[in-house]
């Protein structure tokens, strides 16, 4: 069931999203070669707690405040003292904050040092996919319009569009209806976009195959099946009658 949010609920979600944007503005400049993903996770966690929030992923029993995925890790990378960020890595930070019962969700892929040109382009195109998906997220359109917008850009470049995982409703829980695939061939229903929807739009785009596998050792981390890099970008948006607001914009 899709939960349409009222004005007060959107205000609460917006506050959580703005805190998440503040956290990214604080953390992203500190991502560097030589730090562990556990150190990065601690930065995220302490910022949340110091500002009255808590990690939303705790609701999902995830073993960290942030999902930190590097290179061929698509999503749900588990923070570790042993996982060290290296020059040339693409590091995807997927973070959610629970603030006064309201949930935010956003992802930014950070390019560290001398990133290969093909990986840099992959992330640029993934950002274009995200913006196209947001542009298609308008009152009166359908969820399939978001999927089509992402698909059209990523497929033009020959990239693998992850279909096993997708965007979703968000705000009162971490994962709500509807599901928002990045490939229109994998729609599960095609509801019309309405005012009051709060959605997490999140292209996950691979340099190679769209196929992914679960890392059995962690039980969480999703990897590209061919070992090639992946990029992940995400914003939480709220739909109004005459516009759509990017709640997690870094320059809100």
């Amino acid at each position: 069931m899709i939960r349409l949010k009222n004005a007060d609920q959107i205000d609460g979600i917006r506050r959580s999203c703005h805190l998440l944007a503040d956290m990214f503005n604080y953390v992203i400049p500190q991502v560097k070669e030589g730090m562990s993903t556990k150190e990065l996770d601690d930065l995220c966690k302490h910022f949340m707690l110091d500002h009255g929030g808590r990690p939303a992923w705790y609701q999902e029993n995830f073993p960290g405040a942030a999902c930190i995925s590097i290179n061929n890790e698509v999503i749900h990378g588990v923070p570790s003292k042993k996982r060290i960020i290296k020059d040339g890595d693409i590091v995807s930070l997927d973070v959610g904050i629970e603030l006064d019962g309201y949930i935010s969700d956003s992802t930014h892929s950070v390019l560290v040092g001398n990133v290969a040109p093909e990986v840099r382009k992959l992330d640029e195109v993934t950002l274009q996919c995200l913006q196209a998906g947001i542009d298609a997220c308008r009152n009166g359109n359908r969820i399939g319009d978001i999927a089509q917008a992402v698909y059209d850009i990523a497929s033009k470049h020959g990239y693998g569009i992850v279909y096993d995982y997708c965007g979703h409703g968000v705000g009162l829980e971490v994962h709500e209806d509807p599901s928002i695939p990045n490939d229109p061939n994998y729609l599960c229903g095609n509801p019309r976009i309405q005012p009051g929807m709060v959605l997490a739009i999140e292209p996950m785009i691979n340099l190679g195959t769209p196929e992914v596998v679960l890392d059995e050792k962690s039980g969480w981390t999703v990897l590209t099946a061919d070992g090639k890099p992946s990029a992940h970008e995400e914003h939480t948006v709220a739909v109004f009658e005459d516009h759509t607001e990017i709640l997690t914009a870094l320059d809100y």
Side-chain angles (χ1 to χ4, degrees):
M1 181 183 72
I2 296 173
R3 304 170 74 174
L4 300 179
K5 280 73 174 183
N6 60 37
D8 288 342
Q9 290 170 326
I10 291 176
D11 281 344
I13 298 167
R14 183 184 289 111
R15 289 193 297 273
S16 178
C17 287
H18 286 182
L19 180 59
L20 182 55
D22 291 342
M23 187 217 75
F24 274 115
N25 284 326
Y26 170 74
V27 168
I28 287 174
Q30 301 186 64
V31 179
K32 61 183 179 179
E33 176 185 0
M35 75 186 309
S36 72
T37 55
K38 178 63 167 61
E39 290 177 273
L40 187 50
D41 185 69
D42 285 343
L43 283 176
C44 296
K45 179 176 69 176
H46 292 149
F47 185 94
M48 296 181 210
L49 297 176
D50 289 347
H51 292 82
R54 67 189 297 267
W57 300 168
Y58 287 176
Q59 290 188 6
E60 308 279 288
N61 295 316
F62 181 77
C67 298
I68 306 173
S69 306
I70 301 177
N71 297 334
N72 66 315
E73 298 171 345
V74 182
I75 51 173
H76 304 162
V78 177
S80 169
K81 293 180 180 179
K82 297 180 180 180
R83 190 72 161 109
I84 305 300
I85 297 170
K86 299 176 181 178
D87 179 65
D89 283 345
I90 178 171
V91 181
S92 295
L93 277 170
D94 185 357
V95 188
I97 293 178
E98 178 185 346
L99 180 68
D100 301 326
Y102 296 106
I103 306 295
S104 53
D105 188 2
S106 186
T107 304
H108 295 280
S109 287
V110 183
L111 306 178
V112 180
N114 298 302
V115 176
E118 61 268 25
V119 176
R120 191 173 297 275
K121 180 182 176 183
L122 173 68
D123 188 51
E124 290 173 355
V125 172
T126 303
L127 283 165
Q128 293 171 19
C129 289
L130 174 59
Q131 187 58 57
I134 293 171
D135 291 343
C137 182
R138 292 289 182 268
N139 178 28
N141 281 1
R142 291 189 180 274
I143 293 299
D145 294 315
I146 301 174
Q148 190 68 56
V150 172
Y151 179 87
D152 285 348
I153 292 176
S155 61
K156 180 175 67 176
H157 292 273
Y159 293 145
I161 303 163
V162 175
Y163 56 82
D164 282 330
Y165 298 87
C166 57
H168 50 89
V170 69
L172 304 181
E173 298 179 30
V174 171
H175 291 103
E176 303 177 12
D177 291 333
S179 294
I180 309 171
N182 294 304
D183 184 331
N185 296 301
Y186 294 90
L187 282 168
C188 183
N190 192 16
R192 194 170 294 281
I193 298 168
Q194 305 175 57
M197 282 186 172
V198 177
L199 306 173
I201 299 172
E202 51 178 321
M204 291 157 273
I205 310 297
N206 298 343
L207 190 60
T209 178
E211 304 293 335
V212 298
V213 294
L214 180 66
D215 173 46
E216 295 183 359
K217 184 177 180 180
S218 71
W220 280 98
T221 307
V222 176
L223 311 168
T224 59
D226 59 6
K228 292 184 178 180
S230 182
H232 182 195
E233 301 285 351
E234 176 186 19
H235 274 309
T236 295
V237 306
V239 179
F240 298 89
E241 286 191 8
D242 59 349
H243 71 287
T244 295
E245 179 183 349
I246 304 175
L247 299 177
T248 48
L250 297 184
D251 57 352
Y252 68 88

